[in-house]
Short mmCIF file of all heavy atoms in Angstrom, two decimals:
data_model
loop_
_atom_site.label_atom_id
_atom_site.label_comp_id
_atom_site.label_asym_id
_atom_site.label_seq_id
_atom_site.Cartn_x
_atom_site.Cartn_y
_atom_site.Cartn_z
N THR A 1421 27.54 27.88 48.89
CA THR A 1421 27.59 26.42 48.95
C THR A 1421 28.92 25.91 48.41
O THR A 1421 29.59 25.09 49.04
CB THR A 1421 26.44 25.79 48.14
OG1 THR A 1421 25.21 26.28 48.67
CG2 THR A 1421 26.46 24.28 48.23
N ALA A 1422 29.32 26.39 47.24
CA ALA A 1422 30.56 25.94 46.61
C ALA A 1422 31.79 26.63 47.20
O ALA A 1422 32.90 26.15 47.03
CB ALA A 1422 30.50 26.20 45.11
N ILE A 1423 31.57 27.74 47.89
CA ILE A 1423 32.65 28.57 48.45
C ILE A 1423 33.63 28.97 47.35
O ILE A 1423 34.84 28.97 47.52
CB ILE A 1423 33.38 27.87 49.62
CG1 ILE A 1423 32.41 27.22 50.58
CG2 ILE A 1423 34.24 28.87 50.38
CD1 ILE A 1423 33.08 26.37 51.64
N ASN A 1424 33.10 29.32 46.20
CA ASN A 1424 33.90 29.80 45.07
C ASN A 1424 33.29 31.08 44.54
O ASN A 1424 32.08 31.28 44.62
CB ASN A 1424 33.95 28.77 43.95
CG ASN A 1424 34.95 27.68 44.20
OD1 ASN A 1424 35.83 27.79 45.03
ND2 ASN A 1424 34.83 26.60 43.45
N SER A 1425 34.13 31.90 43.96
CA SER A 1425 33.67 33.14 43.36
C SER A 1425 33.28 32.90 41.91
O SER A 1425 33.80 31.99 41.25
CB SER A 1425 34.77 34.19 43.42
OG SER A 1425 35.14 34.43 44.76
N TYR A 1426 32.38 33.74 41.42
CA TYR A 1426 31.93 33.64 40.03
C TYR A 1426 31.36 34.97 39.60
O TYR A 1426 31.12 35.86 40.41
CB TYR A 1426 30.87 32.55 39.89
CG TYR A 1426 29.56 32.92 40.54
CD1 TYR A 1426 28.52 33.47 39.79
CD2 TYR A 1426 29.35 32.74 41.90
CE1 TYR A 1426 27.32 33.84 40.39
CE2 TYR A 1426 28.17 33.10 42.50
CZ TYR A 1426 27.16 33.64 41.75
OH TYR A 1426 25.97 34.01 42.33
N PHE A 1427 31.18 35.10 38.28
CA PHE A 1427 30.42 36.23 37.76
C PHE A 1427 29.65 35.79 36.53
O PHE A 1427 30.01 34.80 35.88
CB PHE A 1427 31.29 37.47 37.49
CG PHE A 1427 32.35 37.30 36.44
CD1 PHE A 1427 32.11 37.60 35.11
CD2 PHE A 1427 33.63 36.89 36.80
CE1 PHE A 1427 33.10 37.48 34.15
CE2 PHE A 1427 34.63 36.77 35.86
CZ PHE A 1427 34.37 37.07 34.53
N LEU A 1428 28.59 36.51 36.26
CA LEU A 1428 27.70 36.22 35.14
C LEU A 1428 27.70 37.41 34.19
O LEU A 1428 27.78 38.55 34.64
CB LEU A 1428 26.27 35.97 35.64
CG LEU A 1428 26.10 34.92 36.73
CD1 LEU A 1428 24.66 34.95 37.25
CD2 LEU A 1428 26.46 33.55 36.21
N TYR A 1429 27.62 37.13 32.90
CA TYR A 1429 27.49 38.21 31.93
C TYR A 1429 26.90 37.68 30.63
O TYR A 1429 26.88 36.47 30.40
CB TYR A 1429 28.83 38.89 31.67
CG TYR A 1429 29.81 38.10 30.83
CD1 TYR A 1429 29.93 38.36 29.46
CD2 TYR A 1429 30.61 37.12 31.38
CE1 TYR A 1429 30.83 37.65 28.68
CE2 TYR A 1429 31.51 36.40 30.62
CZ TYR A 1429 31.62 36.67 29.26
OH TYR A 1429 32.50 35.96 28.49
N SER A 1430 26.41 38.58 29.82
CA SER A 1430 25.91 38.26 28.49
C SER A 1430 26.83 38.92 27.47
O SER A 1430 27.20 40.09 27.63
CB SER A 1430 24.48 38.78 28.30
OG SER A 1430 23.60 38.14 29.19
N ASP A 1431 27.18 38.18 26.41
CA ASP A 1431 28.06 38.74 25.38
C ASP A 1431 27.25 39.55 24.36
O ASP A 1431 26.03 39.70 24.50
CB ASP A 1431 28.90 37.65 24.71
CG ASP A 1431 28.09 36.60 23.97
OD1 ASP A 1431 26.94 36.89 23.57
OD2 ASP A 1431 28.60 35.49 23.78
N ASP A 1432 27.93 40.07 23.35
CA ASP A 1432 27.29 40.92 22.35
C ASP A 1432 26.21 40.20 21.55
O ASP A 1432 25.32 40.84 20.99
CB ASP A 1432 28.33 41.50 21.39
CG ASP A 1432 29.29 42.45 22.08
OD1 ASP A 1432 28.92 43.01 23.13
OD2 ASP A 1432 30.42 42.62 21.57
N GLN A 1433 26.29 38.86 21.46
CA GLN A 1433 25.30 38.07 20.73
C GLN A 1433 24.14 37.63 21.63
O GLN A 1433 23.25 36.91 21.20
CB GLN A 1433 25.94 36.84 20.08
CG GLN A 1433 26.89 37.15 18.93
CD GLN A 1433 28.23 37.68 19.40
OE1 GLN A 1433 28.76 37.25 20.42
NE2 GLN A 1433 28.78 38.63 18.67
N GLY A 1434 24.17 38.03 22.89
CA GLY A 1434 23.11 37.67 23.82
C GLY A 1434 23.29 36.33 24.49
O GLY A 1434 22.38 35.84 25.16
N ASN A 1435 24.48 35.72 24.33
CA ASN A 1435 24.76 34.45 25.00
C ASN A 1435 25.14 34.70 26.45
O ASN A 1435 25.95 35.59 26.75
CB ASN A 1435 25.91 33.71 24.29
CG ASN A 1435 25.57 33.38 22.86
OD1 ASN A 1435 24.52 32.83 22.57
ND2 ASN A 1435 26.46 33.75 21.95
N ASN A 1436 24.56 33.92 27.35
CA ASN A 1436 24.85 34.05 28.78
C ASN A 1436 26.07 33.21 29.15
O ASN A 1436 26.25 32.10 28.65
CB ASN A 1436 23.66 33.62 29.62
CG ASN A 1436 22.47 34.52 29.40
OD1 ASN A 1436 22.63 35.73 29.25
ND2 ASN A 1436 21.28 33.96 29.38
N HIS A 1437 26.89 33.75 30.03
CA HIS A 1437 28.10 33.07 30.48
C HIS A 1437 28.18 33.12 31.99
O HIS A 1437 27.81 34.11 32.61
CB HIS A 1437 29.35 33.74 29.90
CG HIS A 1437 29.41 33.73 28.41
ND1 HIS A 1437 29.94 32.70 27.69
CD2 HIS A 1437 28.97 34.65 27.51
CE1 HIS A 1437 29.84 32.97 26.41
NE2 HIS A 1437 29.25 34.15 26.26
N ALA A 1438 28.70 32.05 32.57
CA ALA A 1438 29.02 31.99 34.00
C ALA A 1438 30.51 31.65 34.09
O ALA A 1438 30.96 30.64 33.54
CB ALA A 1438 28.20 30.93 34.70
N VAL A 1439 31.27 32.51 34.75
CA VAL A 1439 32.70 32.30 34.91
C VAL A 1439 32.96 31.99 36.38
O VAL A 1439 32.68 32.82 37.25
CB VAL A 1439 33.50 33.54 34.46
CG1 VAL A 1439 34.98 33.33 34.68
CG2 VAL A 1439 33.20 33.89 33.00
N TRP A 1440 33.46 30.79 36.65
CA TRP A 1440 33.77 30.38 38.02
C TRP A 1440 35.26 30.54 38.24
O TRP A 1440 36.08 30.23 37.37
CB TRP A 1440 33.36 28.93 38.23
CG TRP A 1440 31.88 28.79 38.35
CD1 TRP A 1440 30.99 28.65 37.31
CD2 TRP A 1440 31.12 28.82 39.54
NE1 TRP A 1440 29.72 28.59 37.81
CE2 TRP A 1440 29.76 28.69 39.17
CE3 TRP A 1440 31.43 28.95 40.88
CZ2 TRP A 1440 28.74 28.67 40.10
CZ3 TRP A 1440 30.42 28.93 41.81
CH2 TRP A 1440 29.08 28.79 41.41
N LEU A 1441 35.63 31.01 39.42
CA LEU A 1441 37.02 31.31 39.75
C LEU A 1441 37.48 30.44 40.91
O LEU A 1441 36.72 30.16 41.82
CB LEU A 1441 37.15 32.78 40.17
CG LEU A 1441 36.52 33.78 39.22
CD1 LEU A 1441 36.38 35.12 39.90
CD2 LEU A 1441 37.35 33.90 37.98
N LEU A 1442 38.73 30.06 40.85
CA LEU A 1442 39.33 29.37 41.99
C LEU A 1442 40.57 30.15 42.37
O LEU A 1442 41.66 29.91 41.87
CB LEU A 1442 39.67 27.92 41.65
CG LEU A 1442 40.22 27.08 42.80
CD1 LEU A 1442 39.19 26.99 43.93
CD2 LEU A 1442 40.60 25.71 42.33
N ASP A 1443 40.39 31.13 43.23
CA ASP A 1443 41.52 31.91 43.70
C ASP A 1443 42.13 31.20 44.90
O ASP A 1443 41.68 30.13 45.31
CB ASP A 1443 41.11 33.34 44.02
CG ASP A 1443 40.02 33.43 45.08
OD1 ASP A 1443 39.69 32.40 45.71
OD2 ASP A 1443 39.49 34.53 45.29
N ALA A 1444 43.16 31.78 45.46
CA ALA A 1444 43.87 31.13 46.57
C ALA A 1444 42.97 30.90 47.78
O ALA A 1444 43.02 29.84 48.40
CB ALA A 1444 45.09 31.96 46.97
N ILE A 1445 42.14 31.88 48.10
CA ILE A 1445 41.24 31.73 49.26
C ILE A 1445 40.23 30.62 49.01
O ILE A 1445 39.97 29.79 49.89
CB ILE A 1445 40.51 33.06 49.56
CG1 ILE A 1445 41.53 34.15 49.89
CG2 ILE A 1445 39.50 32.89 50.67
CD1 ILE A 1445 42.35 33.90 51.13
N SER A 1446 39.65 30.58 47.82
CA SER A 1446 38.68 29.53 47.49
C SER A 1446 39.33 28.16 47.53
O SER A 1446 38.75 27.20 48.03
CB SER A 1446 38.07 29.77 46.10
OG SER A 1446 37.38 30.99 46.07
N PHE A 1447 40.56 28.06 47.00
CA PHE A 1447 41.27 26.79 47.06
C PHE A 1447 41.49 26.37 48.50
O PHE A 1447 41.28 25.22 48.87
CB PHE A 1447 42.60 26.86 46.32
CG PHE A 1447 43.42 25.61 46.53
CD1 PHE A 1447 43.12 24.46 45.84
CD2 PHE A 1447 44.45 25.60 47.45
CE1 PHE A 1447 43.84 23.29 46.05
CE2 PHE A 1447 45.18 24.44 47.67
CZ PHE A 1447 44.88 23.29 46.97
N TRP A 1448 41.92 27.30 49.34
CA TRP A 1448 42.18 26.99 50.75
C TRP A 1448 40.91 26.50 51.44
O TRP A 1448 40.95 25.53 52.19
CB TRP A 1448 42.77 28.19 51.46
CG TRP A 1448 43.05 27.92 52.92
CD1 TRP A 1448 42.44 28.46 53.99
CD2 TRP A 1448 44.01 26.99 53.45
NE1 TRP A 1448 42.95 27.95 55.17
CE2 TRP A 1448 43.92 27.04 54.85
CE3 TRP A 1448 44.93 26.13 52.86
CZ2 TRP A 1448 44.72 26.27 55.68
CZ3 TRP A 1448 45.72 25.36 53.70
CH2 TRP A 1448 45.62 25.43 55.07
N ASN A 1449 39.79 27.16 51.17
CA ASN A 1449 38.52 26.72 51.77
C ASN A 1449 38.16 25.31 51.30
O ASN A 1449 37.73 24.48 52.10
CB ASN A 1449 37.40 27.70 51.42
CG ASN A 1449 37.55 29.01 52.15
OD1 ASN A 1449 38.13 29.07 53.23
ND2 ASN A 1449 37.02 30.06 51.56
N SER A 1450 38.35 25.03 50.02
CA SER A 1450 38.08 23.69 49.51
C SER A 1450 39.02 22.68 50.13
O SER A 1450 38.61 21.58 50.51
CB SER A 1450 38.20 23.66 47.98
OG SER A 1450 37.25 24.48 47.39
#
């Protein structure tokens, strides 16, 4: 839907994170 890349991970304390990326291809699509 967003046409963007992302990844999910949990840190050592158990906190969840979502990292969204805007690379050149994603920018071009937007």
Side-chain angles (χ1 to χ4, degrees):
T1421 302
I1423 316 172
N1424 280 343
S1425 301
Y1426 70 96
F1427 63 91
L1428 307 172
Y1429 74 98
S1430 297
D1431 63 23
D1432 294 336
Q1433 291 76 37
N1435 299 310
N1436 295 323
H1437 299 273
V1439 178
W1440 286 86
L1441 310 165
L1442 184 61
D1443 59 9
I1445 299 297
S1446 298
F1447 172 77
W1448 180 247
N1449 289 333
S1450 297

